[in-house]
Amino acid sequence: YGSKIPPTVLADRMGSYVHYFTLHGSLRPFGATSLLASYDPETNDASLHMIEPSGVSHSYFGCAAGKGRQPAKTEMEKLALHKPAAEENITVREGIRQLARM
């Protein structure tokens, strides 16, 4: 208790917790997908995890959940979210502009 937890471990534990509810008949399973955005100060890395109601956890550069998920994913695939050269990536301001457009 009181110690910091890496984002990937947190996402895996949340997935295990959600999965536990799908196994027991006396507990109601979660019915919503969770998005976990986090920053790890030890590695100086930001991450985005999606935890599904089944307990599956995946890491993404950009993801969408819900009713308009597929069109939003198609638009995100067109963006330069993670290129090898930093100058090829979009800025945060441009990312917010594109997000609002979706």
Side-chain angles (χ1 to χ4, degrees):
Y1 294 105
S3 62
K4 297 181 180 179
I5 184 169
T8 55
V9 175
L10 178 62
D12 288 340
R13 288 190 184 173
M14 286 178 66
S16 297
Y17 182 76
V18 169
H19 180 66
Y20 178 77
F21 277 73
T22 63
L23 296 177
H24 284 274
S26 61
L27 300 174
R28 292 190 66 179
F30 288 86
T33 299
S34 302
L35 296 175
L36 175 68
S38 56
Y39 176 75
D40 190 2
E42 292 180 7
T43 61
N44 292 329
D45 190 31
S47 61
L48 177 65
H49 298 272
M50 183 167 71
I51 303 158
E52 297 178 1
S54 63
V56 177
S57 171
H58 296 288
S59 179
Y60 292 97
F61 293 114
C63 66
K67 186 177 176 183
R69 165 180 82 242
Q70 195 56 44
K73 281 185 178 182
T74 303
E75 290 297 319
M76 280 189 280
E77 288 172 356
K78 296 176 185 176
L79 301 175
L81 295 176
H82 191 69
K83 299 284 184 174
E87 60 272 356
E88 295 178 10
N89 290 328
I90 63 173
T91 63
V92 173
R93 187 176 304 274
E94 179 63 25
I96 292 172
R97 189 177 301 130
Q98 293 295 329
L99 178 66
R101 187 179 58 82
M102 290 180 208

